[in-house]
Amino acid sequence: MSAIIDAWQKLTTNLAQAPYWPLAMLARFSLAALFWRSGQTKVTGFAVDPLAGLWQWGWPHLNDAATYLFAEEYRLPFLSPEPAAIISAMAEHVLALMLLLGMGSRIAAAGLLVMTAVIEIFVYPDAYPTHGIWATALLILIFRGPGWLSIDHWLAKRLGYQAA
């Protein structure tokens, strides 16, 4: 039994010393993909999904389905459907890209955390297990930063600040 406990302690010690940046990169990539794909469902004329091999360059415009969803299903109490759909689509694209690149990562993560809270509170209040996972990953990025494989880290080093 002592050998098992020793092996477990050695494993947990080694895991505690593992670098943070791969975890941060996985969180950034996963969250960026999730929000990007959600934003893509709201627009027509612009579709980019490198993993699926989808490249349709054009000027994006809000599709009717997005406006319908915000009018009938989402029903945010503080915004009318069309502006809410536009803001959502833009935020999902811009903040996801910022997060993926590690550029203004904490700001992007905070914006996506607010969006997650709005979705949880006003749209799908029973989806707290899913939204809790999103919120946890976003909070880790807000508190710990994007890791060294990011534009934020590169800029901090160039400007002489402590790297994020």
Side-chain angles (χ1 to χ4, degrees):
M1 190 64 150
S2 175
I4 293 172
I5 292 171
D6 289 344
W8 180 255
Q9 287 177 336
K10 185 174 182 174
L11 175 66
T12 57
T13 300
N14 288 337
L15 288 173
Q17 295 173 1
Y20 167 71
W21 74 267
L23 174 65
M25 189 64 226
L26 179 61
R28 288 178 22 226
F29 174 79
S30 300
L31 290 163
L34 181 131
F35 283 98
W36 180 271
R37 284 187 167 181
S38 178
Q40 290 281 274
T41 66
K42 295 172 180 69
V43 298
T44 305
F46 173 75
V48 176
D49 187 344
L51 297 178
L54 183 60
W55 303 92
Q56 179 190 5
W57 298 104
W59 191 252
H61 58 277
L62 195 62
N63 62 37
D64 294 336
T67 305
Y68 175 82
L69 279 173
F70 276 86
E72 299 301 322
E73 186 174 339
Y74 301 163
R75 297 183 191 193
L76 296 177
F78 45 85
L79 282 175
S80 58
E82 190 164 337
I86 292 169
I87 292 167
S88 175
M90 287 178 59
E92 287 172 325
H93 283 97
V94 172
L95 296 175
L97 187 59
M98 288 173 65
L99 201 61
L100 181 65
L101 297 174
M103 182 177 71
S105 304
R106 288 182 163 110
I107 294 167
L112 293 173
L113 183 61
V114 168
M115 183 176 278
T116 300
V118 168
I119 295 167
E120 175 58 34
I121 293 166
F122 297 109
V123 182
Y124 297 121
D126 292 337
Y128 57 86
T130 299
H131 298 145
I133 292 168
W134 300 357
T136 300
L138 290 164
L139 285 167
I140 288 169
L141 292 171
I142 291 167
F143 283 98
R144 296 282 312 270
W148 74 264
L149 189 59
S150 65
I151 293 173
D152 289 342
H153 182 86
W154 179 81
L155 281 173
K157 283 184 73 170
R158 294 268 302 173
L159 298 173
Y161 297 111
Q162 184 176 349

